Amino acid sequence: MKILFDINIILDVFDNKRSEQYPSSKKVYDYCINNKLDCYLCVASLDNLEFLKISQLDMQFPELTYAQKKRLSDLLIQDLLKFFKLAKTPSYYPIDLNDIEDSQIIGSAHAIGAIVLTRDKDILEKYSYIAVHPDNFFDFIENKKNNKIPFLDLQSINMQYCHQFEEAFDAVLQSGWYILGQECKKFEEEFADYCGTKHCIGVANGLDALILILKAYKEMGIISDGDEIIAPANTYIASILAITHNNLKPVLVEPDLNTYLIDPDKIEEKITSKTKAIMVVHLYGQTCQMDKIWEIAKKYNLKIIEDSAQSHGAYFGQKRCGNLGDASGFSFYPGKNLGALGDGGAVTTNDDELANILRALRNYGSHKKYENIYKGFNSRLDELQAALLRVKLKYLDKEIEKRREIAKFYLENIKNEKIVLPKVRKEDNHVWHLFVIRTKERDRLQKYLEKNGIQTLIHYPIPPHKQKAYKEWNTKAYPVTEQIHYEVLSLPISGVMGMDEVKEVVEIINRY
Ligand SMILES: Cc1ncc(COP(=O)(O)O)c(C=O)c1O
């Protein structure tokens, strides 16, 4: 919960007489500090805070010089800013000329989704839906408490960075260059560096990343129409669409029931003279068993294409995904561990020629304006999304750490014989994009959790070969894949989930 403090509360807290007169102001202030709640001051109030503090000192200590009073006021503001964040009033918010400061405070609270803590009668009356008196604060938050645990609270995830996003937005706006500019270039450098690869090419989304990799190999003469690409039968549809959109044939391989990842021991039997690549999907945040897959690819001279849409930052041995094959596609769909505020994607690779072709393919097949070497696409990573992703990339490892902490707690504490917990390979460095459990009573468990306020999702309810889009495969049997799709359930997990919520999920599941 975010709380924007009106300065009358601040003045109550830092003046003995006033804190005696209005004890609830101090009580709420202490509660917020002790519980590390998200507290804000409106930028527009700072000037007034200084003025009122100096006036207060003037009345209480008339012997002080102006410089001394100013110094004391400066110290107070300096101290407050160690704990309080500043909220600016957005320029689009209408200013009420009858009380300019009040409307600026309300505008700031709106922009960040905060409540306003105030004793100002006008604000409390006029903006009762958003403003609360300290006397009523504890009742107010009790009523506001939402006992539901969302699957993924994207708003809270992104609001953590709202100030840096503002700065990033202003930089893009002022640059005057909105497609393939400096932000995209810098993000590509930073993400390549993060993955440990030579190149990163920003594209419009994860599906395009995979489509363009295959298209680039076709331009290089390595893959041709009708060739076969090995892919897991258990994956999100995008992995398969990328193959069929290129007039190539997906050859589906069953997953390992323990890890849900492509079973490396079942790949070799599917290789024919038409096989040109293996697409590995590091599903749910865990990398595939790459040592075995590297061996097979080497033996049959196959390219390895990674679908890393769910696994930013995951390791296999010393290397991160994105750097475990010949080329890798990433998605920055908002719900991913590294998610934009819209669509976004990227390809990483160490192959200079492939990178060069991809840079052209995403941009109408052109390196130079109006000269088209390939029949390309318009699939560029948006400049604004790149700027926002640069902010979030700095915190990706922190996000992953928090997810690991939650996953560890789930793994150690969920104890219910009806439920199969995810298996993690010993040497693994899982990033827990999803925490996926399995049970024969999946739909019943999901309803039970919903009734108890816990939102869950299914990744995924229908396997690719059973989709209407691929009706030619509907009669094929992939029993392990089908079992997974009928039994899996994803529990809430994210960097903003409180451990109290995690414990609640465990308790409720254990009672099932
Ligand atoms: C495994 C996998 N591959 C590919 C994609 C496609 O990414 P996007 O939604 O950015 O196109 C996704 C995500 O949605 C995914 O989960």
Side-chain angles (χ1 to χ4, degrees):
M1 174 184 288
K2 295 190 175 64
I3 301 146
L4 193 143
F5 280 63
D6 193 356
I7 52 172
N8 51 39
I9 308 295
I10 302 294
L11 291 168
D12 291 351
V13 173
F14 290 94
D15 178 78
N16 289 342
K17 236 181 168 170
R18 276 177 71 150
S19 55
E20 267 171 36
Q21 203 176 347
Y22 306 108
S24 58
S25 295
K26 175 97 172 84
K27 211 168 143 197
V28 174
Y29 178 89
D30 288 344
Y31 173 85
C32 293
I33 302 263
N34 294 337
N35 289 286
K36 296 197 171 78
L37 298 192
D38 245 351
C39 295
Y40 288 84
L41 290 171
C42 173
V43 176
S45 298
L46 287 186
D47 213 21
N48 206 12
L49 177 60
E50 181 187 53
F51 172 77
L52 291 173
K53 185 68 202 168
I54 290 174
S55 310
Q56 203 181 46
L57 290 167
D58 210 21
M59 288 203 309
Q60 290 169 345
F61 309 103
E63 69 280 10
L64 293 181
T65 64
Y66 179 78
Q68 286 169 323
K69 286 178 283 194
K70 169 85 171 74
R71 175 90 187 114
L72 287 171
S73 157
D74 288 351
L75 285 174
L76 169 68
I77 293 175
Q78 219 173 51
D79 265 2
L80 287 172
L81 292 183
K82 284 182 195 149
F83 180 68
F84 283 80
K85 291 182 217 161
L86 289 177
K88 77 169 186 189
T89 309
S91 53
Y92 54 78
Y93 199 81
I95 295 293
D96 178 354
L97 292 176
N98 292 321
D99 201 327
I100 293 175
E101 195 192 340
D102 285 2
S103 55
Q104 284 176 309
I105 290 173
I106 298 299
S108 309
H110 265 295
I112 56 170
I115 59 164
V116 177
L117 186 74
T118 183
R119 282 193 301 97
D120 184 310
K121 280 201 182 74
D122 285 345
I123 296 185
L124 287 164
E125 239 170 59
K126 208 159 150 194
Y127 307 103
S128 57
Y129 58 95
I130 198 175
V132 61
H133 190 286
D135 287 349
N136 305 327
F137 177 79
F138 292 103
D139 287 343
F140 184 90
I141 58 168
E142 197 50 43
N143 289 339
K144 273 222 150 194
K145 243 187 209 164
N146 181 357
N147 289 326
K148 287 207 175 350
I149 299 177
F151 179 73
L152 186 68
D153 182 356
L154 269 183
Q155 191 206 29
S156 297
I157 289 176
N158 286 316
M159 285 307 287
Q160 297 179 101
Y161 313 113
C162 65
H163 293 83
Q164 285 150 285
F165 283 167
E166 248 178 57
E167 199 177 345
F169 175 81
D170 287 349
V172 173
L173 180 64
Q174 285 173 31
S175 74
W177 191 279
Y178 306 120
I179 303 271
L180 296 182
Q182 282 306 306
E183 293 295 331
C184 187
K185 187 167 175 284
K186 283 184 195 154
F187 174 73
E188 289 176 341
E189 285 165 9
E190 288 160 7
F191 195 61
D193 193 43
Y194 182 83
C195 296
T197 54
K198 209 164 157 191
H199 305 282
C200 168
I201 302 99
V203 296
N205 54 65
L207 173 59
D208 280 7
L210 298 170
I211 290 178
L212 293 182
I213 291 170
L214 289 164
K215 176 90 179 142
Y217 279 130
K218 287 175 85 177
E219 293 293 351
M220 288 164 82
I222 291 172
I223 298 179
S224 309
D225 276 1
D227 280 344
E228 293 173 5
I229 311 293
I230 302 271
N234 172 48
T235 183
Y236 179 60
I237 196 74
S239 328
I240 309 301
L241 285 172
I243 300 172
T244 55
H245 280 331
N246 270 293
N247 294 324
L248 300 167
K249 186 180 166 206
V251 175
L252 304 182
V253 172
E254 285 270 56
D256 175 337
L257 188 58
N258 288 315
T259 61
Y260 311 126
L261 301 168
I262 191 165
D263 186 340
D265 298 331
K266 292 184 182 152
I267 292 178
E268 222 168 333
E269 65 201 51
K270 299 278 181 135
I271 292 173
T272 71
S273 59
K274 292 216 129 212
T275 311
K276 294 293 160 57
I278 304 172
M279 183 182 285
V280 292
V281 182
H282 307 305
L283 204 66
Y284 306 151
Q286 175 163 226
T287 52
C288 296
Q289 187 72 50
M290 293 309 296
D291 46 357
K292 289 190 179 177
I293 295 166
W294 286 329
E295 236 175 70
I296 299 167
K298 198 167 164 209
K299 186 168 162 193
Y300 294 94
N301 191 26
L302 305 176
K303 294 289 178 197
I304 296 179
I305 298 164
E306 296 174 78
D307 180 342
S308 302
Q310 301 192 1
S311 53
H312 321 69
Y315 278 95
F316 185 85
Q318 300 301 308
K319 285 186 177 181
R320 273 197 164 128
C321 81
N323 192 19
L324 301 175
D326 295 284
S328 176
F330 284 90
S331 162
F332 305 123
Y333 177 80
K336 302 297 187 207
N337 286 13
L338 177 61
L341 267 63
D343 274 315
V347 176
T348 54
T349 181
N350 291 312
D351 183 331
D352 295 344
E353 190 187 353
L354 185 80
N356 201 34
I357 296 174
L358 282 164
R359 287 189 193 287
L361 280 179
R362 71 168 172 185
N363 192 28
Y364 296 103
S366 152
H367 286 300
K368 201 168 162 205
K369 212 164 185 177
Y370 308 128
E371 283 183 22
N372 306 86
I373 321 169
Y374 311 104
K375 295 188 187 88
F377 301 84
N378 176 355
S379 181
R380 301 168 293 212
L381 175 61
D382 187 84
E383 184 71 356
L384 189 55
Q385 297 304 337
L388 304 177
L389 284 166
R390 288 187 68 209
V391 170
K392 286 181 83 174
L393 180 57
K394 294 191 195 101
Y395 300 95
L396 177 57
D397 284 340
K398 203 173 127 215
E399 169 79 27
I400 293 171
E401 267 324 300
K402 182 70 198 290
R403 285 170 180 266
R404 287 203 181 116
E405 190 190 337
I406 296 170
K408 187 166 183 282
F409 194 87
Y410 279 154
L411 288 171
E412 287 173 358
N413 294 287
I414 293 180
K415 290 186 175 38
N416 187 319
E417 55 190 25
K418 294 190 203 113
I419 287 166
V420 181
L421 293 171
K423 304 266 181 323
V424 184
R425 281 190 316 259
K426 231 193 201 144
E427 75 278 20
D428 226 48
N429 214 316
H430 206 313
V431 293
W432 299 104
H433 171 55
L434 297 169
F435 190 94
V436 179
I437 59 171
R438 225 162 18 92
T439 170
K440 300 269 179 228
E441 303 173 6
R442 192 261 312 278
D443 295 348
R444 206 175 137 234
L445 175 64
Q446 187 174 37
K447 277 196 195 107
Y448 162 83
L449 291 173
E450 182 71 42
K451 234 171 80 189
N452 283 280
I454 298 168
Q455 191 191 14
T456 57
L457 293 179
I458 297 168
H459 298 93
Y460 298 91
I462 308 172
H465 72 278
K466 292 284 182 195
Q467 296 286 358
K468 276 193 191 141
Y470 291 113
K471 38 182 184 306
E472 62 276 26
W473 305 335
N474 286 177
T475 52
K476 290 193 178 198
Y478 294 95
V480 184
T481 299
E482 283 155 34
Q483 184 184 347
I484 290 172
H485 285 253
Y486 296 135
E487 294 185 358
V488 286
L489 190 66
S490 308
L491 300 184
I493 188 164
S494 85
V496 294
M497 206 178 158
M499 284 318 278
D500 51 335
E501 293 178 305
V502 181
K503 282 179 192 154
E504 200 177 324
V505 173
V506 170
E507 273 167 32
I508 291 171
I509 289 188
N510 287 349
R511 280 207 307 269
Y512 172 71

